[in-house]
C-alpha cells in the first residue's frame, strides 16, 4: 500500500507531498524527486497512510527513487560550491558598487541552476553582475530579491523570548500582522517591544489573535454602564488570562467577576441589598452628606391678602387709568396743530444763504444746488506717455 511522504528540500523550506510508489520509505531517509525545475534531493520528515480514494492519490506525484551514497556526495559538493559562489558574488558586488546585501546561494541537485538571494531597499541594475557569474560558473544564474522576514528565516536568529525565531523553527508561510492586533491584546505600542529581529511586527501576535477576538465577543464593552443585580455598574477593564472583568459599583468599589458570573447578573433588576445601599448614598450626594431637614408647609399667599394690599391695588388701577386718559388727550392735541419745523433745519438753510454770494442765491436752479451739494469725483491719473 502506497504512503504519503512529506519532503523538505531545506531546513526553512515548505513541506511538499509525494507518494512512495513501489518503494518502502522510512522517516529520515533522503529521496530524489522530479520537480518543475529539475531533479531534487529532499528529506522525508512525515509519513502517513494514503486514503482509499484513488482521486486523492492522483494529486501527488510519486518519488523518482531513493538516494544513495553518490547522491549524498554530490550534495556535499554542492554545499561547498555554494559557499565559494557566495564569496565570489560578494566580491563582485563590492567591485560594481551595488547597494544590495547577499543572503544565501542555492545550488540545484543536478547543478542546472544557481539562485542568489539578496535584499535591497529598491531596484538594482545587476546586469553586469550576472555576466560575471555566468562567465565563472557556466550555468543558469538567477538573482532573487527577498524581504527582511525571509532573510531572518534563512539566516536564523534568537527572538525576544530567548528561543529560535518562529519563522526559522516551524513557520513556513507568513501571515499579515497589523498594529490593530497589538491594540486588541492590550500591549504597549512601543516599537522595540512589539517588533522582532527583522524590524517588523512580531509574528506571534497573529498566533493569539483568534483567542482574543473570541474573548472580546464574550465581554461587554469597556467603559459602558450596565444594570445588573448588583445595581448599576461600569466596566473598567477585562483580563484575558483570568477570563474576568473589573466592575465599578454604585458604592465606588471595584469588584472582579468572571465571565460566567457576568452572564448571570447582567440585565437583571438590582437586589434589595443593592437598593438599600444606594438610597443613603443618593441622599448624601443631594445634600452634600448632611441629613435632610423636614420641609415646612407653604402658605397660600394669594388667599391671605391684607386690606392694605387691596387698597394699594385700587390706587394702582386709578393711576393707570389717569395715564391712559392723558395719553389719549395728547394724541388729540397733536392732530389739531400743524407739525413744527425743526430748528436745526432752519439753521442749515440760513447758513447756505449766507455762504452764497449776493444776487446769485435766488438765480441758482435746483439742478445747480444739487450739483453743488454732491461730493466731487476723484479723477484717475493716467500714466504719462514717454
Amino acid at each position: 500500500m502506497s504512503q504519503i511522504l512529506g519532503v523538505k528540500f531545506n531546513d526553512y523550506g515548505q513541506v511538499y507531498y509525494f507518494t512512495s510508489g513501489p518503494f518502502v520509505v522510512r522517516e529520515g531517509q533522503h529521496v530524489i524527486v522530479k520537480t518543475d525545475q529539475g531533479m531534487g534531493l529532499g528529506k522525508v520528515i512525515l509519513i502517513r497512510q494514503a486514503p482509499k480514494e484513488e482521486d486523492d492519490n492522483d494529486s501527488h506525484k510519486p518519488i523518482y527513487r531513493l538516494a544513495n551514497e553518490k547522491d549524498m556526495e554530490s550534495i556535499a559538493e554542492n554545499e561547498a560550491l555554494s559557499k565559494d559562489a557566495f564569496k565570489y558574488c560578494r566580491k563582485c558586488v563590492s567591485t560594481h558598487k551595488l547597494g544590495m546585501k547577499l543572503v544565501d546561494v542555492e545550488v540545484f541537485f543536478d547543478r542546472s541552476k544557481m539562485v542568489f538571494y539578496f535584499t535591497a531597499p529598491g531596484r538594482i541594475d545587476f546586469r553586469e553582475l550576472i555576466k560575471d557569474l555566468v562567465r565563472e560558473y557556466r550555468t543558469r544564474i538567477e538573482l532573487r530579491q527577498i524581504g527582511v522576514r525571509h532573510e531572518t528565516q534563512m539566516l536564523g536568529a534568537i527572538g525576544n523570548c530567548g528561543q529560535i525565531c518562529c519563522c526559522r523553527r516551524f513557520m513556513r508561510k507568513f501571515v499579515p500582522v497589523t498594529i490593530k492586533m497589538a491594540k486588541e491584546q492590550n500591549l504597549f505600542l512601543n516599537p522595540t517591544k512589539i517588533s522582532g529581529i527583522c524590524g517588523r511586527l512580531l509574528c506571534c501576535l497573529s498566533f493569539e489573535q483568534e483567542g482574543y477576538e473570541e474573548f472580546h465577543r464574550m465581554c461587554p464593552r469597556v467603559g459602558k454602564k450596565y444594570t445588573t443585580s448588583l445595581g448599576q455598574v461600569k466596566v473598567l477593564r477585562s483580563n484575558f488570562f483570568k477570563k474576568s472583568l473589573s466592575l465599578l459599583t454604585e458604592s465606588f468599589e471595584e469588584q472582579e467577576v468572571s465571565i460566567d458570573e457576568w452572564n448571570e447578573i447582567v440585565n437583571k433588576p438590582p437586589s434589595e441589598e443593592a437598593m438599600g445601599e444606594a438610597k443613603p448614598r443618593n441622599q448624601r450626594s443631594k445634600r452634600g452628606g448632611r441629613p435632610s431637614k423636614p420641609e415646612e408647609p407653604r402658605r397660600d399667599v394669594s388667599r391671605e391678602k391684607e386690606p392694605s394690599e387691596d387698597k394699594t391695588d385700587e390706587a394702582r388701577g386709578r393711576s393707570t387709568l389717569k395715564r391712559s386718559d392723558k395719553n389719549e388727550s395728547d394724541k388729540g392735541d397733536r392732530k389739531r396743530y400743524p407739525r413744527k419745523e425743526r430748528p436745526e433745519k432752519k439753521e442749515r438753510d440760513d447758513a447756505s444763504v449766507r455762504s452764497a454770494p449776493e444776487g446769485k442765491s435766488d438765480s441758482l436752479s435746483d439742478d445747480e444746488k444739487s450739483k453743488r451739494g454732491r461730493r466731487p469725483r476723484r479723477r484717475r491719473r493716467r500714466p504719462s506717455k514717454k
Side-chain angles (χ1 to χ4, degrees):
M1 186 177 181
S2 63
Q3 298 172 329
I4 301 297
L5 308 177
V7 180
K8 279 177 63 175
F9 296 99
N10 47 44
D11 295 337
Y12 52 83
Q14 296 184 11
V15 180
Y16 300 92
Y17 294 96
F18 298 87
T19 57
S20 60
F23 300 98
V24 178
V25 186
R26 297 178 182 177
E27 188 173 341
Q29 286 184 335
H30 290 82
V31 294
I32 295 176
V33 297
K34 285 184 178 181
T35 62
D36 298 336
Q37 298 178 348
M39 302 297 291
L41 185 141
K43 184 179 180 180
V44 179
I45 63 167
L46 178 66
I47 297 176
R48 65 184 183 186
Q49 297 296 328
K52 296 181 180 180
E53 290 80 4
E54 295 180 357
D55 298 336
D56 295 337
N57 290 335
D58 295 339
S59 60
H60 302 299
K61 295 181 181 180
I63 62 173
Y64 185 71
R65 60 180 174 85
L66 295 175
N68 50 30
E69 295 180 358
K70 290 183 179 180
D71 298 331
M72 300 306 296
E73 290 177 359
S74 62
I75 287 293
E77 292 175 0
N78 290 343
E79 289 179 358
L81 179 62
S82 66
K83 292 178 180 179
D84 295 338
F86 185 84
K87 294 178 182 178
Y88 180 76
C89 185
R90 288 188 67 179
K91 190 186 295 183
C92 294
V93 168
S94 60
T95 54
H96 292 294
K97 297 181 180 180
L98 300 175
M100 56 186 287
K101 177 185 175 183
L102 190 64
V103 177
D104 195 11
V105 180
E106 180 184 359
V107 181
F108 282 22
F109 174 71
D110 53 359
R111 298 186 185 180
S112 61
K113 189 177 181 180
M114 297 175 69
V115 182
F116 293 80
Y117 299 95
F118 71 95
T119 59
R123 297 186 66 180
I124 296 175
D125 186 9
F126 44 72
R127 288 175 290 182
E128 297 297 329
L129 178 61
I130 290 179
K131 291 178 183 179
D132 295 342
L133 295 174
V134 171
R135 194 182 304 114
E136 180 69 21
Y137 296 105
R138 301 293 178 179
T139 185
R140 291 176 58 195
I141 302 296
E142 181 183 351
L143 288 171
R144 189 176 298 175
Q145 186 174 359
I146 60 175
V148 289
R149 290 194 174 191
H150 289 87
E151 178 189 2
T152 308
Q153 187 183 43
M154 288 183 175
L155 300 177
I158 302 298
N160 299 336
C161 56
Q163 299 183 3
I164 300 174
C165 290
C166 301
C167 56
R168 176 73 179 188
R169 186 172 48 179
F170 64 89
M171 283 184 66
R172 297 297 168 257
K173 291 183 180 180
F174 293 101
V175 296
V177 184
T178 60
I179 196 69
K180 183 182 177 183
M181 297 180 180
K183 290 180 181 178
E184 290 182 354
Q185 297 177 21
N186 297 326
L187 298 176
F188 293 106
L189 302 181
N190 188 357
T192 58
K193 299 292 184 181
I194 60 176
S195 299
I197 302 297
C198 59
R200 300 291 187 269
L201 292 174
L202 291 168
C203 296
C204 56
L205 295 178
S206 61
F207 303 160
E208 304 174 359
Q209 181 62 20
E210 186 177 354
Y212 274 95
E213 289 178 355
E214 184 179 354
F215 175 70
H216 287 311
R217 282 195 293 268
M218 297 164 58
C219 291
R221 187 178 177 183
V222 177
K224 192 175 179 180
K225 293 183 179 180
Y226 294 88
T227 303
T228 62
S229 59
L230 302 175
Q232 194 172 20
V233 297
K234 182 180 180 181
V235 182
L236 297 178
R237 56 187 170 273
S238 59
N239 194 329
F240 171 73
F241 300 100
K242 292 183 178 180
K243 302 291 190 240
S244 62
L245 300 171
S246 295
L247 308 176
L248 185 67
T249 60
E250 291 184 343
S251 58
F252 298 101
E253 295 179 357
E254 189 173 338
Q255 188 173 355
E256 188 174 2
V257 297
S258 63
I259 297 295
D260 298 333
E261 293 176 356
W262 169 259
N263 294 330
E264 292 177 359
I265 65 175
V266 72
N267 295 329
K268 290 186 178 180
S271 60
E272 295 179 359
E273 297 178 358
M275 293 290 290
E277 292 177 359
K279 283 181 180 179
R281 201 190 82 259
N282 292 335
Q283 292 178 359
R284 289 173 191 169
S285 61
K286 288 180 180 178
R287 294 288 180 178
R290 298 177 184 176
S292 59
K293 297 180 181 179
E295 297 182 355
E296 298 179 359
R298 297 181 179 178
R299 299 183 204 174
D300 194 354
V301 184
S302 61
R303 294 181 182 178
E304 298 178 2
K305 281 190 177 181
E306 296 180 0
S308 60
E309 292 181 0
D310 297 338
K311 291 178 181 179
T312 55
D313 292 342
E314 291 176 1
R316 287 174 188 169
R318 291 171 186 172
S319 62
T320 52
L321 289 170
K322 287 180 181 179
R323 288 176 186 173
S324 61
D325 296 339
K326 191 175 182 180
N327 292 335
E328 289 177 0
S329 62
D330 293 340
K331 287 179 183 178
D333 296 340
R334 285 177 189 173
K335 290 178 183 178
R336 290 174 188 172
Y337 297 102
R339 188 175 181 181
K340 295 181 181 180
E341 295 182 356
R342 296 180 183 178
E344 295 178 0
K345 194 172 182 182
K346 281 187 176 182
E347 289 176 2
R348 288 176 191 170
D349 298 338
D350 296 340
S352 61
V353 171
R354 288 172 190 171
S355 61
E358 295 179 1
K360 291 185 179 180
S361 58
D362 300 332
S363 62
L364 292 173
S365 62
D366 296 337
D367 297 337
E368 290 176 354
K369 286 180 181 180
S370 62
K371 287 179 182 179
R372 282 198 172 189
R374 291 178 187 171
R375 188 176 180 181
R377 294 183 181 178
R378 294 183 64 183
R379 295 183 179 180
R380 293 179 64 185
R381 294 182 180 178
R382 296 182 180 178
S384 60
K385 296 181 181 180
K386 294 182 180 182

